[in-house]
Amino acid sequence: MTLTDSRTRPAYPWLRPVAVTASLLLLGYGLLRLIDRLDGHSDKGAWAWNTGHTLFLLGILGFATLIVGLHGVLRTRSTRLRAVDDVAALAGLVGAAAFVWVILGDLFPRFADAVQTPDLVLLGGPALFEVGLLVLLYRATAARLLPVWAPVLVLVGFVALAVNLDLLPVGAALVLAGLLPLRATARSPRLAG
């Protein structure tokens, strides 16, 4: 049994550029958040707030695209692994949708007033997003699309974000470093000669 079936695995040449772009958008959001808070508080509706949240929204949409791409490239014959991939992708996309909901509420106060954000969305969404993406990244290491240390860097980046949002630039840089070596196809095993 193989972890992935390389004969039927489609190539997604856009996978790495999307991962890098999403990480850079997250980094931009983190830097603008720091700029916005230079005076000690966030100025909702100011240029740094709106631009930063727009970058965050685009970054989350990029990560959702990455989740879909990883799910596609990790196609396998194994029913068990296919189920793991499906659940991870679904969790990641539901989490990304929760992030989008919260970001839209931050960008558009009328939306936030009209649609109360449940605590489950605020707490469960980020967890689902991170766990779903991390499971797919771990599976990508098994398929030789990433080095084994890459998902660890992404995890440490997510932990930094959870510890303190002021660490957003550091966390985003770690996520970027973890996703930078992502490949669209697996490396061929070396032949002994």
Side-chain angles (χ1 to χ4, degrees):
M1 176 176 79
T2 61
L3 293 178
T4 57
D5 184 0
S6 59
R7 289 174 292 159
T8 61
R9 185 182 313 132
Y12 289 85
W14 49 264
L15 204 58
R16 183 172 182 253
V18 166
V20 170
T21 300
S23 302
L24 288 172
L25 289 165
L26 185 62
L27 179 62
Y29 167 57
L31 294 173
L32 285 172
R33 186 178 184 282
L34 288 179
I35 291 169
D36 182 39
R37 297 179 55 82
L38 284 176
D39 59 359
H41 69 282
S42 292
D43 296 319
K44 291 185 178 183
W47 75 270
W49 172 275
N50 288 336
T51 305
H53 277 76
T54 301
L55 293 179
F56 187 31
L57 176 63
L58 294 172
I60 291 298
L61 293 174
F63 284 119
T65 304
L66 174 64
I67 288 168
V68 170
L70 284 171
H71 181 261
V73 81
L74 291 171
R75 289 199 179 123
T76 179
R77 292 182 188 180
S78 166
T79 306
R80 185 171 29 107
L81 290 176
R82 200 169 40 243
V84 168
D85 294 344
D86 290 347
V87 169
L90 179 63
L93 292 174
V94 167
F99 264 127
V100 167
W101 182 341
V102 172
I103 296 165
L104 289 176
D106 286 342
L107 282 171
F108 304 104
R110 284 188 171 171
F111 175 78
D113 293 340
V115 184
Q116 186 73 11
T117 304
D119 288 340
L120 184 62
V121 171
L122 292 172
L123 300 174
L128 285 174
F129 169 75
E130 292 168 3
V131 168
L133 180 57
L134 285 167
V135 168
L136 291 172
L137 291 176
Y138 167 75
R139 289 270 299 117
T141 63
R144 301 174 65 175
L145 301 174
L146 274 171
V148 293
W149 50 265
V152 175
L153 279 183
V154 174
L155 173 62
V156 173
F158 286 160
V159 169
L161 299 175
V163 167
N164 187 335
L165 283 178
D166 289 338
L167 295 175
L168 242 166
V170 173
L174 289 168
V175 170
L176 174 62
L179 294 177
L180 200 56
L182 182 61
R183 299 170 50 88
T185 57
R187 291 186 179 116
S188 319
R190 293 186 181 199
L191 300 173

